[in-house]
Amino acid sequence: MWFEWKIDFEGQKRAELISQVGIILFAVIGFVVGFLLQNLLLTFQIFGGGIFITALIVLPPWSFYNQHPIQWLPSVQSDQDKHEPEESDELKEKST
Amino acid sequence: MYNLAQRANAIFAFAMTVQFGLLLSIAISSLYLTSNPIGKVDVRELNIWLYNYDNKETEFAFIEMNLDADLTSLFNWNTKQLFVAVIAEYETKSHDLNQVVLWDSIIQSKEDAHIKEVKVRNEKYDFVDITPKFGEVEAKYSIYWDLMPYVGFLVSGKTESNQTISFPAPDNN
């Protein structure tokens, strides 16, 4: 799927840290600025804007979230792969 | 955090949690904001008239007063509006505490929080006792206010008044 926007494991760790620090930071900034300027609307504008900015940083699969791709082991040819899949009992029963 | 949907969900859920904490801190911190509301009720006239109410001869009090209150300090960042009422309080033999609302007002901005009203009469509300007669009472007049916040707890208070006025005898018989 082209729109899945997958990131690797290290990237997930980084994305989680950035989102949590970002949202808490904007909440604290919003509270302090709103309190100092005595403007409650400003607090929630800063908080809402902060969520939007955090989403812009965290949601797209930026390249710094894909610096550690998983190194898979080379594929091994096993005996089972060569076996032809047998018909299951259920199918046999239905056909009779 | 693996794909877009999971990251969007995680951010939204965490943002809602943080928002609840933000609302809670606003609600609790607002309780510690200090205010200094002052107000004075100056009673100019108090007359009592007898009318027939529910087949009983009942004393209706008519008051004229000047109000001077400065409630601007109650307007902080978390104040939506104020409900202000002038309340007469008195004690009778049968009831320890009687409170009668004489006038009220809703204040929605800091600019309107400086109340200066002259010759206010209790036109909106009847000033009657729970029994037909007031008798020998002395009433105290105070300005009560309720602060309605955007977020948090309703806060109430009053500006104390020391002026007490004895009720006069009824004017008509």
Side-chain angles (χ1 to χ4, degrees):
Chain A
M1 265 168 50
W2 67 273
F3 204 56
E4 218 173 354
W5 283 7
K6 288 187 274 190
I7 58 177
D8 63 39
F9 284 119
E10 285 298 315
Q12 290 174 38
K13 198 177 162 188
R14 195 175 280 179
E16 185 167 343
L17 185 73
I18 291 172
S19 67
Q20 290 182 351
V21 169
I23 288 171
I24 290 175
L25 193 72
F26 278 108
V28 171
I29 292 171
F31 183 85
V32 171
V33 173
F35 186 83
L36 291 178
L37 298 178
Q38 290 289 293
N39 189 342
L40 196 71
L41 185 62
L42 190 64
T43 296
F44 287 94
Q45 283 169 340
I46 291 171
F47 183 57
I51 293 171
F52 185 72
I53 291 167
T54 310
L56 278 186
I57 296 170
V58 173
L59 290 186
W62 302 112
S63 60
F64 55 87
Y65 292 132
N66 279 314
Q67 297 294 311
H68 306 275
I70 305 161
Q71 301 297 321
W72 298 102
L73 291 173
S75 58
V76 180
Q77 286 282 63
S78 66
D79 293 346
Q80 280 185 341
D81 290 342
K82 292 166 189 169
H83 249 274
E84 287 212 356
E86 287 179 39
E87 262 190 292
S88 68
D89 292 346
E90 277 183 337
L91 286 170
K92 276 176 186 170
E93 277 173 355
K94 276 178 184 172
S95 59
T96 54
Chain B
M1 289 277 166
Y2 168 67
N3 60 17
L4 171 66
Q6 286 180 10
R7 284 199 297 279
N9 179 260
I11 290 178
F12 181 73
F14 187 68
M16 288 305 104
T17 307
V18 173
Q19 176 167 285
F20 183 75
L22 182 61
L23 293 170
L24 197 70
S25 28
I26 291 167
I28 289 171
S29 67
S30 294
L31 294 176
Y32 294 97
L33 291 173
T34 52
S35 60
N36 180 33
I38 47 168
K40 217 181 97 200
V41 181
D42 183 24
V43 178
R44 291 162 45 88
E45 245 186 280
L46 182 64
N47 298 310
I48 293 179
W49 294 73
L50 289 167
Y51 290 110
N52 189 20
Y53 177 71
D54 197 21
N55 288 325
K56 289 186 201 98
E57 198 172 54
T58 305
E59 288 182 0
F60 281 75
F62 293 91
I63 198 166
E64 189 178 290
M65 56 199 170
N66 290 347
L67 305 177
D68 189 3
D70 185 8
L71 305 176
T72 46
S73 65
L74 288 170
F75 272 88
N76 55 52
W77 70 325
N78 195 14
T79 303
K80 188 185 184 203
Q81 61 183 16
L82 298 175
F83 177 76
V84 184
V86 174
I87 291 179
E89 289 171 298
Y90 57 91
E91 199 180 316
T92 59
K93 277 170 191 158
S94 52
H95 298 83
D96 287 342
L97 177 63
N98 301 274
Q99 291 177 304
V100 183
V101 178
L102 304 176
W103 176 88
D104 62 22
S105 177
I106 293 168
I107 299 167
Q108 292 187 304
S109 74
K110 197 173 186 168
E111 289 71 41
D112 299 331
H114 204 122
I115 301 165
K116 214 165 168 68
E117 304 262 349
V118 289
K119 294 187 180 178
V120 178
R121 294 161 188 266
N122 57 316
E123 289 159 342
K124 199 169 161 186
Y125 304 106
D126 284 335
F127 188 5
V128 287
D129 191 41
I130 192 162
T131 61
K133 309 271 172 158
F134 285 103
E136 298 279 313
V137 295
E138 282 199 338
K140 238 170 52 174
Y141 302 89
S142 312
I143 295 175
Y144 277 71
W145 47 263
D146 291 297
L147 190 158
M148 295 171 210
Y150 287 109
V151 183
F153 310 98
L154 186 79
V155 183
S156 305
K158 67 169 179 175
T159 60
E160 293 279 355
S161 80
N162 299 315
Q163 186 194 24
T164 56
I165 288 116
S166 318
F167 276 52
D171 275 5
N172 62 342
N173 286 297

